[in-house]
Amino acid sequence: MSLVKLTIKGISYSQTQNGAYALILNEEDGDRKLPIVIGAFEAQSIAIALEKEIKPPRPLTHDLFKTFADKYDIVIKQVIIHKLVDGVFYSSIISERDSIEEIIDARTSDAIALALRFNAPIFTYKNILDKAGVFLNLNTQEGNPEDTHNDGVLTEPETFGDDKEEQSAYAKYSLQELHNLLEEAIQNEDYEKAAVLKEEIDKKES
C-alpha cells in the first residue's frame, strides 16, 4: 500500500460534537482533506505547536515528552495514520534511538502533536484517503456553495472555536496592548484566548 504525505491545513470547531475540534489534514500533492475529530486539549497543543510565538510558561504534556525524548536521544522519524475503523483513526509513531527503530501505537491527535514538535512528516495510506478524504470548502465565501460533501462538519476554519465575536472585541486594541494581553493570557495558561489574540495580532501586522 502506498503512503500519502499529509500537511496540516488548520483546526476548526466541530459542529457535530460539542467541545470537539476538527483537525484538517491536506494531501501534499492533491486537493483532498482528511478531517479528524480531536479534543480541546489536543487542539490547543497542536495550535500552540503551530504558533511558534506562543510559549507556555510551563511545558504541556507533549512538550514534556519532547524534552524527555531529547534527553534520551529518542527521535520521532514519522507518523503514519494506518487504520480507520468505525470513524476512528489509528496511528503509529515511528521512533529511533541508537539506530534502532520502534513502532509505538498512539492516538492520532497525540501523534500529530508530537510530529509537529519533532518536525516529523505525517503520512496515511492511499486507501484511507480514498475512503475518508473529502473536498472541503473551508472558506464559505469561495468555491462552490453547493458543495455539501462535508455534511456541515466544518465552518470557516478558526484556530479555536467560534471566536469571531471575541476577535472583533480585540480589534480596537493597539498592537502593543494586544501583545501585553497575549503575554498575560500565556502566563495564565489561557491558550484559547492566546490563540485569538495571536490571530488579531497577525491580522494587524499583515
Side-chain angles (χ1 to χ4, degrees):
M1 291 185 289
S2 60
L3 287 172
V4 179
K5 190 173 183 180
L6 301 170
T7 58
I8 296 177
K9 182 73 174 176
I11 300 173
S12 181
Y13 189 72
S14 173
Q15 294 181 345
T16 60
Q17 297 187 34
N18 283 338
Y21 295 81
L23 173 66
I24 311 300
L25 302 175
N26 192 82
E27 61 175 327
E28 189 173 63
D29 298 317
D31 297 321
R32 285 178 296 181
K33 311 292 188 295
L34 195 64
I36 300 174
V37 175
I38 61 176
F41 172 78
E42 291 77 14
Q44 287 188 357
S45 182
I46 290 169
I48 287 170
L50 290 170
E51 293 285 358
K52 304 298 183 184
E53 293 181 30
I54 297 180
K55 302 293 184 185
R58 298 184 298 171
L60 301 180
T61 303
H62 299 111
D63 297 320
L64 179 61
F65 183 95
K66 174 67 164 60
T67 302
F68 180 90
D70 289 344
K71 188 74 173 177
Y72 291 95
D73 298 321
I74 300 168
V75 177
I76 290 179
K77 307 292 289 184
Q78 62 183 4
V79 162
I80 300 175
I81 303 170
H82 63 84
K83 187 167 67 173
L84 173 62
V85 179
D86 296 330
V88 178
F89 292 92
Y90 294 79
S91 294
S92 295
I93 295 173
I94 314 301
S95 64
E96 183 181 277
R97 181 174 184 265
D98 296 334
S99 300
I100 299 174
E101 278 195 355
E102 299 286 351
I103 301 175
I104 303 169
D105 285 332
R107 294 189 307 169
T108 297
S109 54
D110 289 328
I112 291 173
L114 290 173
L116 282 169
R117 286 161 171 81
F118 284 87
N119 294 316
I122 303 164
F123 296 94
T124 191
Y125 289 109
K126 183 178 180 297
N127 66 322
I128 292 178
L129 196 57
D130 289 342
K131 180 179 179 181
V134 294
F135 294 92
L136 294 179
N137 181 17
L138 290 178
N139 190 336
T140 55
Q141 296 178 353
E142 297 178 3
N144 180 9
E146 302 296 324
D147 183 5
T148 57
H149 188 49
N150 62 354
D151 295 326
V153 172
L154 303 174
T155 58
E156 187 175 343
E158 298 166 7
T159 306
F160 286 111
D162 187 5
D163 297 316
K164 291 182 187 295
E165 190 173 318
E166 192 168 359
Q167 284 174 357
S168 62
Y170 292 126
K172 61 185 178 183
Y173 288 88
S174 68
L175 264 176
Q176 184 57 54
E177 289 172 327
L178 288 170
H179 279 290
N180 292 341
L181 287 169
L182 175 60
E183 185 176 342
E184 182 183 330
I186 293 171
Q187 290 300 319
N188 293 333
E189 300 185 16
D190 187 349
Y191 301 120
E192 185 167 347
K193 182 178 179 180
V196 174
L197 287 163
K198 181 62 171 59
E199 190 169 339
E200 188 63 40
I201 289 170
D202 290 342
K203 194 186 303 179
K204 284 183 179 292
E205 290 181 337
S206 63

